Amino acid sequence: MTSSASLTTHPTLTSNVKFMNFYPFDDIETISPRPMLFITGDNAHSREFSEDAYKRAAEPKDLYIVPNAGHVDLYDRVNLIPWDKLQSFFTQHLSK
């Protein structure tokens, strides 16, 4: 395979096929027993992905739905970020 500066930031023809056939939740249960915390807004367009990942994941896991929050709200609106949930989850699962 030859290298080209024009290809370094662009996908190759063969990488597109691999990417299209990849679904990141297919083996999510294999992450267990590592704990996973899913946080989504109740108005987030991406909420269904968090709920799907949560259903597929093995224990320990937790799903926290932030009231009155959309997808980007959890990046931009610091007052909506569930700091207490983050602290309690990580304290519980990382202090062992």
Side-chain angles (χ1 to χ4, degrees):
M1 179 178 191
T2 60
S3 178
S4 169
S6 65
L7 295 178
T8 58
T9 59
H10 303 287
T12 63
L13 291 176
T14 57
S15 65
N16 283 336
V17 174
K18 290 180 182 179
F19 180 72
M20 290 169 56
N21 288 315
F22 173 75
Y23 189 66
F25 301 158
D26 278 345
D27 297 311
I28 196 169
E29 74 282 353
T30 63
I31 295 172
S32 179
R34 291 160 201 87
M36 288 188 284
L37 173 61
F38 302 92
I39 298 175
T40 187
D42 68 346
N43 299 320
H45 66 276
S46 57
R47 178 177 171 173
E48 67 182 283
F49 295 108
S50 297
E51 291 172 337
D52 183 33
Y54 176 78
K55 287 177 192 170
R56 293 169 178 252
E59 295 290 341
K61 63 183 180 178
D62 199 355
L63 172 65
Y64 187 82
I65 299 174
V66 180
N68 303 313
H71 181 82
V72 295
D73 289 332
L74 298 174
Y75 297 106
D76 299 337
R77 296 177 61 196
V78 177
N79 61 316
L80 291 178
I81 297 172
W83 300 111
D84 291 345
K85 181 61 183 175
L86 289 163
Q87 181 177 1
S88 65
F89 183 85
F90 288 119
T91 298
Q92 176 186 358
H93 294 288
L94 296 180
S95 64
K96 296 178 181 178

